[in-house]
Amino acid sequence: MCQHTPKCPTAASPDREAAQVVTAHPVQGWSLLCNALVVFDDLGELLPDGQAVAPHRPFATTA
């Protein structure tokens, strides 16, 4: 699916969230990455095989 150079990490890679955004829907709270990963504003994920990943990334903090 990825047409970028260098290629984005696959959905199975540990750094899968580093893939580029294909489409963003901020009002709905989710974005589709070029590796078919859906990331949600609550920091959860949906893998291409339908498996849900619970929120696991730390929230950004402001100083």
Side-chain angles (χ1 to χ4, degrees):
M1 183 173 192
C2 180
Q3 302 298 317
H4 306 106
T5 302
K7 295 281 186 192
C8 290
T10 67
S13 298
D15 60 343
R16 61 183 168 242
E17 296 95 3
Q20 292 190 22
V21 174
V22 173
T23 185
H25 295 275
V27 173
Q28 295 174 348
W30 62 274
S31 295
L32 173 66
L33 305 184
C34 71
N35 58 4
L37 184 72
V38 177
V39 292
F40 297 95
D41 288 352
D42 71 354
L43 307 178
E45 301 171 353
L46 185 61
L47 300 176
D49 65 0
Q51 180 182 356
V53 178
H56 63 282
R57 293 170 280 154
F59 282 99
T61 59
T62 56

